[in-house]
Structures are given as structure tokens and as C-alpha cells.
Amino acid sequence: MKIYDLRSDTITRPSGEMRKAMHKAEVGDDVYGEDPTVNLLEETAAKMTGKKAALFVPSGSMGNLIPLYVQCGRGNEVILHENSHIMHYELASAATIAGVMPRPVPGERGILTPEAIRPHLRPDIYYMARTGLIEIENTHNKEGGTCWTEDELSAIHRFAKKHDIPVHLDGARVFNAAVHTGIPVKKICSYVDTVTFCLSKGLGAPVGSLLCGDSEFIDEARRIRKMLGGGMRQVGILAAAGLYALEHNIDRLREDHLNAKKLAEVLNNVSWAKVDPDSVETNILFATIPDGNAAAVSSALKKKGVLCSGDGNRLRFVTSMEVSSQDIREACDIIAALKI
Ligand SMILES: Cc1ncc(COP(=O)(O)O)c(C=O)c1O
């Protein structure tokens, strides 16, 4: 049976061409700063995000944890969206490792506005924790791959500057955001102090994320990466995959977005699911299962070869280069024919 894997874009496997680039990579000991391919990847990431420096980290989770540790600081609070990846899927590392208190805030489509944040800012009173960081997510995973507009980014930037609070962007899928909105990645990142983006999601590399910021921050981040066990040696072999991804796999994200729209239209026409196709912006979509039995629906789909993930009374579908437009048409036929 053919499998249509729509659980996540993290399932993407390195292509033949990417593997060739990995094979040819020049390597050295990156803990000594001597891996030329890692150095090139870090310089490339810094240029693309408009930041002074960048650091290759093993995962998006580490790329989010380090700024919590460095920028926010122990005993302080980080303001973030209540459905952010940090709140739900990073094992409370903010609290257990960075010593930071999360201050979750609601916001439609995953967007944090100054009005929503203002009541959560701590006044300067000696018996209260300080607000040390604002963290935003673009695209927003759990809110359905939603993107920030430039006005929304600019509003949070002005607010944070006024209160002298740094902003970290979890930009695991910031390239999806740029492709959808047309706002260049560099422009998006100009509204934040630090940003993490992932190579190992829709961009198709097997491992790795880049944490970008000013030089002083990255120097400190490098120390914390080592402390966390993330100092890597001849890792140019993975950096080469990242460089390949940044050169070849950004524009094609558009195809993933179109495929997600197609899926949404089909899901919106079956009796057992509800989706607003207009709300689908990038490669992630959630279908509400009105009778609440998402697990039963996902196992019925699995029996026909269509894999997705359950999230309460919702199913999540994520498109990626592993599932071509032709595959999506076939998956849509299976979905349309499924009787629950
Ligand atoms: C929005 C977001 N941030 C961070 C991460 C963490 O990335 P990693 O799995 O590489 O730790 C993910 C992973 O899916 C994510 O979706």
C-alpha cells in the first residue's frame, strides 16, 4: 500500500543531490571553530537573517532554549503565546534548564499584540520577577502554520523596544512565512533580536537549526551550546546539507503551501471534518472533527495509507517535499472517499 505521510515536514529525507553535497563537504573540528563548511553555513545564515552572527545547533529546541538562558535569565519571565512550541513541546526546558518562568498569553492565530502583552509585563517591584524576554513564533505551528504580517511584527518590535525587552523569534518555519507573505526573511528578522530557524523541516535537511543574533549574543550562545552538550566536531557533513537546503529548497515551499490548500478544500467537503480553506496559509492545516473522535478518523485514514497526527478533536496535516502534488491528488481521493 502506498503511504502518504502528512504527519510532519520533519519526515523529509535528504535527496540524492543533498547527499552528494554532504559527501563532498570539507570538515574540521567545529569546537575549535575549524570546520569550514559550518563556518560558511553560519556566515550564510547571518547574512540571510541580517544578523551579525549565527550558530549551528543540533535542533530547533536548542535554538529556542539558548536565548531563554542567555537573553531572559534565571528567575525572570518570558512572555510567549499560550500555544507556542516552547509551551507545549519542549519539555519545560525553559523552567528546568534556563530557570525561566513562562508567562503564556492568548492571541488569535498565534499573534501576540502589545494590547495582549501589556497586562502581563511585570512592574519594577522588588518582590516580582522581571520580564526578561518576549518570544514569538512565525509560522505558528499549533495555530495552523499562520504568519505574522509586517504591521504585527512592527507593533511588537516597537512595544518591546519601548520597554527595553529583547524579542526572540522561533522561526522554525520562517522561510515558509517569507514565501507566503512576500516579506523577505531579513525584513522579518529585523523586528527581533534573535531568531532560530530549522533546516530539518520543510527545507529537507536531516539535522540542524541556526540561531542568529548579534556577535556578543552568539559568543555567549556558543558557550551555552557546549554546556548543553551541543558542541559538535566534524559536523560540516551536516552543514553541507543545510547549505544545499538554503540554496535549493526555499522557493519550492510554495508547492507545499498549494498542496495544503488543496487538502483543505477536500477536507472541507467531507461530512466528518471541518476546515476553513481560507485560513490555510502555509504547509500546516488543522481539521476539526466535529464529533470529537479524531483518533478514530486518523486510524481509518491510516488503514488507507494517509498518515496525519491527532491533536485533541483536531487532525493535523503537514505537507512537504515527501508528498508530491500528484501524491496529494491521490491522498485527496482517499480522503474524499472515506466514510466514517
Ligand atoms: C515551531 C517549532 N519550533 C521549534 C521546533 C523544535 O524543533 P526540533 O524538533 O528541531 O527541536 C519545532 C519542531 O517541530 C517547531 O514546530
Side-chain angles (χ1 to χ4, degrees):
M1 181 174 61
K2 183 163 171 182
I3 299 295
Y4 306 87
D5 194 343
L6 296 162
R7 289 171 302 160
S8 177
D9 49 8
T10 55
I11 58 137
T12 47
R13 292 165 295 181
S15 64
E17 290 304 308
M18 184 180 275
R19 286 169 192 254
K20 275 189 206 157
M22 295 169 77
H23 180 76
K24 283 196 292 203
E26 268 185 64
V27 295
D29 189 332
D30 181 49
V31 173
Y32 290 159
E34 289 174 2
D35 189 305
T37 313
V38 173
N39 292 343
L40 179 60
L41 175 64
E42 291 179 346
E43 278 162 32
T44 306
K47 259 191 220 136
M48 290 176 98
T49 55
K51 299 298 177 201
K52 281 273 178 300
L55 182 70
F56 189 39
V57 289
S59 65
S61 300
M62 193 185 283
N64 283 337
L65 177 57
I66 293 174
L68 288 170
Y69 197 102
V70 174
Q71 299 281 78
C72 191
R74 295 187 83 74
N76 293 335
E77 291 186 348
V78 56
I79 290 181
L80 32 58
H81 191 270
E82 61 182 357
N83 282 331
S84 59
H85 196 272
I86 291 179
M87 275 306 289
H88 289 272
Y89 306 117
E90 296 183 18
L91 293 125
S93 60
T96 53
I97 302 176
V100 161
M101 174 86 131
R103 186 105 174 154
V105 172
E108 252 182 71
R109 299 171 54 257
I111 308 301
L112 293 181
T113 60
E115 296 68 42
I117 289 181
R118 196 169 286 113
H120 299 274
L121 279 187
R122 292 297 193 182
D124 187 11
I125 298 179
Y126 83 92
Y127 53 79
M128 281 188 175
R130 294 192 179 100
T131 304
L133 184 69
I134 295 170
E135 188 267 343
I136 64 175
E137 194 173 306
N138 189 17
T139 68
H140 200 289
N141 181 343
K142 211 170 158 60
E143 294 286 328
T146 44
C147 302
W148 288 60
T149 65
E150 198 161 350
D151 283 350
E152 289 162 346
L153 286 165
S154 154
I156 209 79
H157 172 74
R158 272 182 277 119
F159 177 83
K161 281 283 156 278
K162 184 168 156 209
H163 294 279
D164 200 20
I165 301 169
V167 181
H168 172 68
L169 167 62
D170 175 351
R173 297 182 183 81
V174 73
F175 287 97
N176 295 80
V179 164
H180 174 71
T181 60
I183 311 168
V185 161
K186 200 186 269 186
K187 186 78 188 161
I188 296 175
C189 297
S190 70
Y191 294 110
V192 300
D193 299 276
T194 57
V195 53
T196 296
F197 70 81
C198 293
L199 300 166
S200 58
K201 302 198 161 60
L203 296 181
V207 181
S209 295
L210 273 304
L211 172 59
C212 312
D214 67 27
S215 305
E216 205 185 324
F217 166 74
I218 292 296
D219 286 348
E220 195 56 23
R222 199 176 292 281
R223 294 176 63 84
I224 306 307
R225 180 187 68 174
K226 187 78 176 86
M227 187 190 83
L228 295 171
M232 300 176 285
R233 303 293 177 172
Q234 287 73 29
V235 73
I237 209 155
L238 294 176
L243 282 164
Y244 183 92
L246 291 174
E247 197 177 334
H248 296 94
N249 292 345
I250 294 175
D251 287 342
R252 64 147 312 285
L253 293 172
R254 210 174 298 283
E255 193 183 320
D256 298 343
H257 300 176
L258 286 171
N259 286 339
K261 268 262 195 252
K262 262 184 235 153
L263 265 178
E265 279 154 15
V266 170
L267 280 161
N268 197 37
N269 281 323
V270 297
S271 60
W272 43 266
K274 259 180 105 147
V275 191
D276 172 9
D278 290 339
S279 70
V280 177
E281 299 176 31
T282 58
N283 68 329
I284 300 178
L285 77 93
F286 283 94
T288 306
I289 306 302
D291 78 0
N293 205 346
V297 177
S298 88
S299 81
L301 283 170
K302 190 174 174 183
K303 284 192 190 124
K304 305 275 180 198
V306 177
L307 309 186
C308 59
S309 27
D311 180 64
N313 70 339
R314 306 188 302 171
L315 292 179
R316 191 185 76 160
F317 296 82
V318 185
T319 53
S320 71
M321 64 173 78
E322 285 286 334
V323 190
S324 68
S325 299
Q326 174 58 29
D327 293 339
I328 289 289
R329 279 192 285 277
E330 293 164 15
C332 282
D333 290 344
I334 294 171
I335 289 168
L338 188 75
K339 299 277 175 276
I340 298 285

